[in-house]
């Protein structure tokens, strides 16, 4: 068993144009003051990290890491959620996802995909230079618009979709393997990797690539009504990153799992601040500890009711309270020593 590391915070939902959220130094001081021990850095925030420099210069990475550590913090992972999304975009979503890309590749799907693949690779190089062993991202989606089987999917569509998705990711996965970093896909609605079955299909399509791993976030499973505890039982060996995010699902006679047209605060499924939702974090931390998952517990805040300021303040002590110091011995390990066969036979009456 291993003790989960933390508490840590994903900076993406807090980064902005005003202090203390507009520079790495200020955000590190803010996070440390709140009791966090780690930060997950979104690579699209240029005020926090310059990926081009990080992929080219070990000196830059050493200085960046040193700066973070000077505040008593560690970098948990780099995140390319937005760029990973752009590795695979169905044309139906071109307009909405173009905003994640630089202007130079907008309205050009091929160029946008090439840019995204290159950026994620550079982030892998940066992760290696920073001494990280896991990276957080999205898979992107070619098939999400066909998730509900109406109209009926033609034979072979799913197989072709996963084959193409794997083809786009394999050069990235091979690069990450070269630098010794796992690619942790957040299993998330809107992505082709949104549940256990889709993860397995992708893993198979990549030839069971050893760098295909999981970023576990139970909030997305609550909204899908998927058993997030059994998921750990099935896939614990692949879980190499962990978002601590709460959610609740309150179906009514008017809406359920697909009730996405209401405003966030009015939906049956919605994200909440830690402790305000329905996620059983005690059981999650117990299972991850039991299975020896060597992960950082990283708070991701997206509550539709509580302020981000309050959510951030409450997040660190909430996570700290749930971290279990893994037992180094079993309470009933009183016998110890070498096996005494004569004694065993005597006990068994042999």
């Amino acid at each position: 068993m291993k003790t989960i590391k933390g508490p840590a915070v994903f900076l993406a939902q807090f980064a902005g144009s005003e202090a203390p959220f507009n520079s790495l130094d200020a955000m590190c001081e803010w996070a440390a003051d709140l009791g966090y021990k780690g930060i997950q850095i979104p690579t699209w925030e240029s005020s926090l990290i310059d990926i081009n420099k990080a992929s080219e210069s070990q000196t830059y990475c050493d200085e960046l890491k040193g700066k973070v550590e000077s505040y008593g913090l560690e970098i948990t992972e780099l995140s390319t959620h937005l760029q990973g999304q752009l590795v695979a975009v169905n044309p139906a979503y071109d307009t909405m996802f173009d905003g994640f890309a630089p202007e130079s590749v907008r309205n050009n799907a091929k160029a946008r995909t090439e840019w995204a693949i290159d950026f994620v690779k550079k982030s892998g190089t940066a992760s290696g230079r920073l001494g990280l062993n896991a990276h957080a991202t999205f898979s992107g989606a070619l098939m999400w618009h066909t998730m509900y089987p109406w109209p009926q999917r033609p034979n072979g569509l799913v197989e072709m979709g996963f084959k193409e998705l794997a083809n786009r990711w394999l050069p990235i996965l091979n690069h990450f393997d070269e630098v010794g970093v796992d690619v942790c896909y957040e299993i998330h609605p809107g992505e082709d990797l949104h549940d256990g079955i889709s993860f397995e299909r992708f893993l198979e399509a990549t030839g069971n690539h050893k760098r295909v791993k999981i970023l576990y976030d139970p909030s997305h499973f609550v909204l899908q009504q998927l058993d997030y505890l059994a998921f750990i039982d099935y896939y614990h060996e692949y879980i190499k990153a962990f978002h601590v995010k709460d959610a609740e699902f309150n179906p009514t006679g008017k809406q359920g799992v697909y009730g996405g047209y209401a405003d966030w605060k009015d939906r049956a499924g919605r994200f909440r601040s830690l402790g305000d939702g329905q996620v059983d974090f005690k059981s999650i931390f117990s299972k991850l500890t039991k299975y020896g998952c060597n992960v950082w517990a990283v708070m991701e805040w997206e509550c539709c009711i509580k302020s981000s300021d309050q959510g951030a303040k409450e997040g660190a002590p909430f996570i700290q309270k749930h971290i279990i110091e893994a037992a180094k011995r079993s309470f009933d390990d009183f016998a110890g020593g070498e096996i005494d066969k004569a004694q065993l036979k005597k006990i068994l009456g042999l």
Side-chain angles (χ1 to χ4, degrees):
M1 296 191 295
K2 290 184 179 293
T3 299
I4 293 172
K5 295 169 286 188
V9 59
F10 188 21
L11 299 183
Q13 283 77 21
F14 300 96
S17 58
E18 297 181 3
F21 307 114
N22 57 353
S23 73
L24 182 60
D25 277 295
M27 291 206 80
C28 283
E29 184 176 6
W30 165 81
D33 287 346
L34 291 178
Y36 293 100
K37 298 177 183 177
I39 55 171
Q40 188 178 84
I41 300 178
T43 57
W44 57 90
E45 293 290 348
S46 58
S47 63
L48 302 180
I49 188 171
D50 184 326
I51 283 297
N52 287 322
K53 285 185 179 179
S55 65
E56 296 169 357
S57 170
Q58 185 62 52
T59 299
Y60 173 83
C61 288
D62 291 343
E63 291 175 349
L64 183 75
K65 184 178 179 180
K67 177 183 293 188
V68 173
E69 291 177 347
S70 72
Y71 292 95
L73 300 168
E74 294 183 45
I75 301 172
T76 65
E77 299 93 12
L78 300 182
S79 156
T80 56
H81 282 81
L82 300 189
Q83 300 90 346
Q85 181 76 65
L86 299 185
V87 169
V89 177
N90 185 279
Y93 300 104
D94 272 342
T95 300
M96 290 187 285
F97 281 141
D98 251 0
F100 293 166
E103 291 187 12
S104 60
V105 297
R106 292 177 187 172
N107 300 311
N108 186 334
K110 185 174 184 295
R112 185 185 60 208
T113 298
E114 292 173 350
W115 172 85
I117 291 173
D118 180 65
F119 192 101
V120 178
K121 282 184 176 180
K122 287 179 178 177
S123 298
T125 301
S127 293
R129 291 186 183 278
L130 289 166
L132 305 176
N133 54 25
H135 180 81
T137 196
F138 277 151
S139 68
L142 299 174
M143 298 172 285
W144 178 251
H145 66 301
T146 70
M147 183 272 298
Y148 194 81
W150 177 256
Q152 297 96 324
R153 291 186 293 265
N155 291 335
L157 183 133
V158 173
E159 290 76 9
M160 181 180 290
F162 277 112
K163 181 179 180 180
E164 175 61 24
L165 188 67
N167 287 341
R168 296 189 188 193
W169 275 101
L170 277 169
I172 301 173
L173 290 164
N174 290 336
H175 179 74
F176 271 75
D177 190 33
E178 291 172 4
V179 297
V181 181
D182 289 329
V183 180
C184 303
Y185 296 96
E186 183 167 358
I187 308 301
H188 188 292
E191 310 303 314
D192 280 341
L193 275 62
H194 58 272
D195 61 10
I197 297 299
S198 55
F199 173 77
E200 291 179 15
R201 296 290 292 264
F202 178 72
L203 180 63
E204 181 181 9
T206 65
N208 294 302
H209 200 288
K210 69 178 184 179
R211 293 298 174 180
V212 175
K213 305 298 181 184
I214 290 172
L215 189 165
Y216 174 77
D217 183 335
S219 68
H220 303 298
F221 298 153
V222 170
L223 270 57
Q224 294 184 71
Q225 291 296 279
L226 185 155
D227 188 335
Y228 55 84
L229 295 177
F231 185 92
I232 299 175
D233 293 327
Y234 284 122
Y235 302 109
H236 55 87
E237 65 183 294
Y238 295 100
I239 296 174
K240 302 298 180 181
F242 174 28
H243 272 175
V244 187
K245 187 166 71 170
D246 212 342
E248 61 185 1
F249 181 67
N250 301 304
T252 69
K254 292 187 176 183
Q255 62 174 337
V257 171
Y258 302 109
Y261 293 143
D263 292 337
W264 257 116
K265 63 182 178 60
D266 299 321
R267 293 179 190 176
R270 57 189 188 175
F271 300 133
R272 299 300 309 276
S273 278
L274 296 185
D276 294 345
Q278 299 168 347
V279 176
D280 181 1
F281 285 107
K282 285 187 177 180
S283 294
I284 287 173
F285 275 78
S286 292
K287 279 184 178 288
L288 293 176
T289 303
K290 166 191 169 183
Y291 285 121
C293 295
N294 187 20
V295 294
W296 276 90
V298 181
M299 184 192 76
E300 184 180 20
W301 178 91
E302 290 182 353
C303 187
C304 61
I305 296 177
K306 183 174 287 182
S307 74
S308 59
D309 183 61
Q310 184 179 359
K313 290 177 181 177
E314 295 175 349
F318 181 92
I319 292 174
Q320 188 63 60
K321 182 178 70 174
H322 283 81
I323 290 177
I324 299 168
E325 184 178 342
K328 294 180 174 60
R329 64 180 181 85
S330 175
F331 81 95
D332 60 355
D333 186 19
F334 57 86
E338 297 181 359
I339 295 175
D340 185 337
K341 292 185 177 180
Q343 181 191 43
L344 301 182
K345 289 181 179 180
K346 184 177 181 180
I347 292 172
L348 294 171
L350 302 178

